[in-house]
Amino acid sequence: MGKNPTYDELLQRVKVLEKLQEDEMLQQKKLQESLAAALFNYETIFNNAPFSISYLDLEMRIVKINPLMEKLIGFKSDEVEGRYCYDVWGQYAGDDKRKGRERICGVCGVEKVLNDGKIHTYERRVADSYVKVIANPVKDIDGTVIGALECGNNITEKKRDEEALRKSEEKFRTMADFTYDWEYWTDPDDKFIYVSPSVKRITGYTANDFYEDAGLLLDLIHPDDRQVFVDHKHLELSDGQLSPLEFRLVTRTGDERWISHGCRKVYAEDGTYLGVRGNNRDITELKKSGAAKAKLQNKLMQARKMEAIATLAGGVAHDFNNALTSVIGNIELVKMDPAGHNIKECAQAVEDSAYRMADLTKQLLAYARGGKYQVKQLSLRKFIEKVIHETGYSVDEKIEIVTNLSCNQDQIMADSSQLQMVFNAILTNAIEAIGGDRGWVEISCHNQELSEHFISTHPGSEYGSYVCFTIRDNGCGMGDETLKRIFEPFYSTKFAGRGLGMAAAYGIVKNHGGYITIESEPGSGTAVQVYLPLEVPESSEIYKIAPKKTVLLIEDEEILQDVEKSLLEALGYHVLVSGNGKDALRMVEDYNLTIDIALIDVHLPDITVDMLYLKLIKLRPAMKVFLCSGSALEWTSQKALNAGAEGFMQKPFSLQKLKEMLAKAGNMS
């Protein structure tokens, strides 16, 4: 028998065993703690995963689901644990016609995972949601498949966006495919990614022709229009402001078609450049109808011109023949019985008729070219007051003329006699519009800066400072048709050939750099506004009657030489007479005494008046030169005035007018 262990030895063995037991318990505790930590981590990851998770066993029973899966299927984990997945959320859940595993979804990846142990991805619908699922095999330590994890990502919003995009693309394609215009879309590389079927009707080429040849569009454009389109594309690519473009293209059959083109860049929501969307509309027929319309409008305009000329000719003939009847009649009366008739009365009647014809001629010239002969600075307010006072409009007592001349600045550059013609024409129309009824005429003036809106709505007007006078009445007013034709010569609502008043007024105001507007409605009266450019005030001139001086009269018509010489002599001037420029220059060189004034008819047979003026002044620098003519101021006359000629007077003129003009020379010396 062996020796029995001693007490100390036994005690030592017990301590060793206790130590081993203590170490084992500590190790077990650590393992338990590690397992608890692992389970906690698993639960944390499982429950807080950003996607839905379900753990299934080999029978496809639900072992556990995480909170996102609970939210997706509408059940708590303890409500579905142990149940078959296909009975809970499967494609055929609730379908009593299918039993057991027949309810397994047709897209199920779990069954495949359990069979082959591989990962499978698929999409499936759960309730009202779409889920993208990744099915993973769960294996034991030996690698044996013991279950499966379904990890799902909710893609419902993505599916809805895709569906909305699909419907939008379908709608776009349907609209674009059936639109009458030719629509297209090019990518950032300028290649066609969409061309509507209408392209074949317009060009003869199919959409595929454009897909295969990105440069086909440019090749089809007419050679004369190609550069315009290239420039348009350059602006498009450089983010320039584009305007609609029209160009011609040549179709497959060689026909020319007019195209109205518009395009814009296309960007994604994140700002990515997607290319260019374009629209091409066939406007060939519109162009043809436009050309036909323009041709018809030209014919209509020509017809209206002929009508206006006929009215003008008839009106002139009417007024001239009336005046000539008076002239001829009075002359015949004197010739028949010189002693039996009052010659002075007959002469006065002839003179009155002559001035009527002279006024008509002035109006004709004002209508044709505008009147602006003796321009000087004047106060519009004082001019209006003077005209009203001097003309002494003795209208019916029922009509009240009211003035409101409150403009602060009223200096204008104008020909006072021509401006008076404008004023009289408008005022006469206003008085006649009231007729025999009780009424009023208001005459006012004010300063105005023409605004951009006024300029854009009144073609022909220009920016600047203006003084405007308005003549407003409460007469019968005018309709649209009358307003359209108010400035036509001899147009009247009473009868044809009535006068040139408003037509002449329009020409005069326009030639003074001004503008006329008329506002009127039937029964509501009329307001005529005349805008004239404002001038900086200058000191006014006071003309004095000159003492007796020598005048060189240069006139090529002998009958006028005699009359004008007699008038000048009646005013106390010594008169030298020449019939042309050559004789006049020789006379100026040979005459030893002073020649104070030259009065020149602007239409001479041998020299233009501007050249004659320069030669006369070279010979006689101190001589004052005045021009006169039976026609309007022409460019040669204007050149002479610009070079220094003192003034212009239109024929016929009265003795008083001649006296007033030549009296200026006395003040100038």
Side-chain angles (χ1 to χ4, degrees):
M1 294 182 62
K3 183 181 178 181
N4 291 327
T6 65
Y7 175 79
D8 291 336
E9 288 176 342
L10 289 173
L11 183 61
Q12 185 64 35
R13 289 180 182 178
V14 169
K15 288 181 177 181
V16 171
L17 290 173
E18 287 179 346
K19 177 64 175 172
L20 289 172
Q21 186 178 11
E22 182 180 348
D23 289 345
E24 184 177 351
M25 291 177 65
L26 182 61
Q27 186 68 28
Q28 186 176 2
K29 182 180 179 181
K30 287 181 179 181
L31 288 173
Q32 289 175 345
E33 289 176 350
S34 297
L35 179 60
L39 288 172
F40 176 79
N41 289 337
Y42 159 75
E43 290 288 342
T44 300
I45 293 172
F46 189 83
N47 291 329
N48 292 281
F51 41 83
S52 58
I53 303 175
S54 60
Y55 178 28
L56 309 176
D57 64 14
L58 292 174
E59 297 297 322
M60 300 179 71
R61 295 177 185 273
I62 301 170
V63 178
K64 191 173 183 61
I65 61 175
N66 73 344
L68 280 182
M69 180 61 83
E70 291 178 346
K71 183 178 180 180
L72 183 66
I73 65 176
F75 292 100
K76 293 294 184 181
S77 183
D78 56 6
E79 294 178 299
V80 297
E81 289 176 2
R83 296 176 61 184
Y84 294 108
C85 65
Y86 46 79
D87 285 335
V88 177
W89 61 68
Q91 181 180 358
Y92 307 107
D95 188 350
D96 294 335
K97 295 180 181 180
R98 293 177 178 269
K99 305 295 182 182
R101 294 179 65 87
E102 292 181 7
R103 295 186 179 184
I104 294 176
C105 305
V107 295
C108 182
V110 173
E111 188 175 34
K112 296 177 182 177
V113 168
L114 296 177
N115 290 333
D116 60 19
K118 297 179 181 179
I119 297 174
H120 290 271
T121 302
Y122 51 94
E123 291 182 5
R124 65 179 300 175
R125 185 166 183 171
V126 179
D128 294 329
S129 301
Y130 289 93
V131 183
K132 183 176 182 179
V133 181
I134 300 177
N136 300 273
V138 179
K139 299 178 180 180
D140 61 12
I141 193 171
D142 298 325
T144 303
V145 176
I146 59 174
L149 278 179
E150 275 189 310
C151 300
N153 185 25
N154 194 331
I155 58 171
T156 305
E157 290 301 320
K158 179 183 176 183
K159 277 288 186 181
R160 288 174 181 169
D161 290 344
E162 289 176 350
E163 180 63 14
L165 179 60
R166 184 192 66 77
K167 289 182 178 180
S168 176
E169 288 179 345
E170 182 179 348
K171 182 186 292 184
F172 161 75
R173 183 170 292 276
T174 300
M175 291 176 62
D177 281 355
F178 287 93
T179 184
Y180 195 72
D181 294 346
W182 160 20
E183 306 282 347
Y184 71 83
W185 191 336
T186 56
D187 66 13
D189 295 326
D190 211 25
K191 294 180 179 179
F192 289 96
I193 55 178
Y194 174 77
V195 178
S196 68
S198 295
V199 69
K200 186 173 183 180
R201 174 181 54 78
I202 296 174
T203 69
Y205 292 86
T206 66
N208 284 333
D209 293 329
F210 285 84
Y211 295 144
E212 295 171 0
D213 184 358
L216 181 56
L217 173 57
L218 187 61
D219 292 340
L220 295 183
I221 295 175
H222 193 284
D224 293 343
D225 299 343
R226 199 167 290 159
Q227 188 58 47
V228 176
F229 184 80
V230 171
D231 294 340
H232 179 84
K233 290 286 291 182
H234 176 72
L235 287 173
E236 169 195 303
L237 295 174
S238 61
D239 288 327
Q241 293 295 322
L242 292 182
S243 300
L245 178 69
E246 292 184 359
F247 57 82
R248 291 163 295 171
L249 58 77
V250 181
T251 68
R252 181 165 235 159
T253 58
D255 297 329
E256 283 188 11
R257 309 295 295 177
W258 273 100
I259 299 297
S260 175
H261 168 82
C263 60
R264 66 180 180 87
K265 290 185 175 182
V266 182
Y267 295 92
E269 289 186 1
D270 61 1
T272 303
Y273 175 53
L274 300 178
V276 174
R277 173 85 182 276
N279 171 274
N280 291 328
R281 176 169 296 178
D282 187 347
I283 57 170
T284 307
E285 296 305 317
L286 186 64
K287 280 284 187 180
K288 289 180 180 178
S289 63
K293 183 179 179 181
K295 188 175 181 180
L296 185 61
Q297 285 178 335
N298 285 334
K299 287 184 177 180
L300 180 60
M301 188 177 297
Q302 200 66 26
R304 285 181 176 173
K305 284 182 179 179
M306 295 303 296
E307 180 185 353
I309 291 172
T311 304
L312 175 62
V316 171
H318 173 270
D319 287 5
F320 259 96
N321 285 336
N322 282 346
L324 287 172
T325 299
S326 174
V327 171
I328 295 171
N330 280 283
I331 291 174
E332 290 289 341
L333 287 173
V334 173
K335 286 170 66 178
M336 286 171 58
D337 187 6
H341 289 86
N342 189 326
I343 294 178
K344 187 174 181 179
E345 289 182 0
C346 290
Q348 184 63 51
V350 170
E351 183 181 14
D352 291 344
S353 296
Y355 278 122
R356 282 176 60 191
M357 290 186 283
D359 288 340
L360 180 59
T361 303
K362 288 180 181 178
Q363 291 182 41
L364 279 169
L365 292 173
Y367 168 69
R369 300 182 181 176
K372 195 176 179 184
Y373 309 123
Q374 298 182 50
V375 177
K376 64 179 181 180
Q377 188 166 298
L378 56 84
S379 162
L380 181 61
R381 184 175 65 256
K382 292 180 179 179
F383 167 81
I384 294 173
E385 291 171 346
K386 180 181 177 183
V387 171
I388 293 174
H389 175 72
E390 288 184 351
T391 54
Y393 276 94
S394 55
V395 297
D396 193 306
E397 292 181 354
K398 294 180 180 179
I399 299 176
E400 180 184 8
I401 295 182
V402 182
T403 59
N404 179 19
L405 309 177
S406 58
C407 48
N408 297 322
Q409 295 178 300
D410 66 343
Q411 297 296 311
I412 59 173
M413 294 298 293
D415 183 312
S416 59
S417 63
Q418 298 297 311
L419 192 58
Q420 183 171 341
M421 188 186 300
V422 174
F423 189 86
N424 290 346
I426 300 172
L427 187 54
T428 299
N429 280 357
I431 293 171
E432 290 183 353
I434 297 172
D437 299 329
R438 183 173 296 279
W440 50 262
V441 175
E442 181 187 42
I443 304 170
S444 62
C445 67
H446 67 277
N447 298 111
Q448 183 167 335
E449 293 281 341
L450 295 191
S451 65
E452 184 174 349
H453 175 72
F454 186 96
I455 301 298
S456 63
T457 54
H458 294 78
S461 57
E462 297 180 358
Y463 293 100
S465 301
Y466 290 78
V467 58
C468 170
F469 75 82
T470 303
I471 298 180
R472 188 186 307 273
D473 66 70
N474 67 336
C476 60
M478 294 179 283
D480 291 340
E481 182 62 27
T482 303
L483 281 173
K484 289 178 183 177
R485 304 185 61 187
I486 191 66
F487 295 122
E488 291 184 15
F490 290 96
Y491 174 75
S492 172
T493 56
K494 297 182 178 180
F495 56 86
R498 184 166 180 275
L500 270 166
M502 291 305 292
Y506 177 83
I508 292 169
V509 173
K510 185 176 181 182
N511 203 40
H512 277 74
Y515 192 79
I516 294 184
T517 66
I518 301 180
E519 297 176 2
S520 185
E521 289 183 6
S524 300
T526 300
V528 180
Q529 293 183 309
V530 176
Y531 297 84
L532 296 169
L534 185 66
E535 287 291 327
V536 178
E538 295 180 0
S539 59
S540 61
E541 295 181 348
I542 301 175
Y543 300 118
K544 301 177 181 178
I545 301 293
K548 186 171 183 178
K549 296 178 181 295
T550 299
V551 176
L552 171 60
L553 174 63
I554 309 175
E555 171 65 63
D556 62 327
E557 294 193 33
E558 291 184 8
I559 189 172
L560 295 181
Q561 285 179 4
D562 295 339
V563 174
E564 292 170 7
K565 181 176 183 294
S566 298
L567 291 173
L568 289 168
E569 288 175 343
L571 292 173
Y573 289 98
H574 173 60
V575 184
L576 304 175
V577 180
S578 173
N580 56 60
K582 183 178 179 181
D583 289 343
L585 291 171
R586 185 168 57 248
M587 187 178 294
V588 169
E589 286 181 315
D590 296 342
Y591 192 71
N592 295 325
L593 301 178
T594 301
I595 301 177
D596 302 285
I597 302 170
L599 180 60
I600 310 173
D601 180 83
V602 300
H603 294 291
L604 296 174
D606 58 343
I607 190 170
T608 59
V609 69
D610 56 324
M611 293 301 298
L612 178 58
Y613 169 76
L614 294 175
K615 291 184 178 182
L616 287 173
I617 291 302
K618 185 175 181 181
L619 295 172
R620 302 271 181 152
M623 183 168 61
K624 308 302 179 184
V625 178
F626 294 88
L627 313 178
C628 62
S629 175
S631 62
L633 188 66
E634 298 179 354
W635 68 275
T636 53
S637 305
Q638 190 62 61
K639 285 178 67 177
L641 290 172
N642 294 342
E646 312 300 343
F648 177 89
M649 181 169 61
Q650 187 183 7
K651 299 176 183 178
F653 47 77
S654 66
L655 183 65
Q656 182 62 32
K657 288 287 185 182
L658 180 62
K659 179 181 178 181
E660 290 175 358
M661 186 182 74
L662 297 182
K664 298 178 184 179
N667 188 66
M668 296 170 183
S669 59

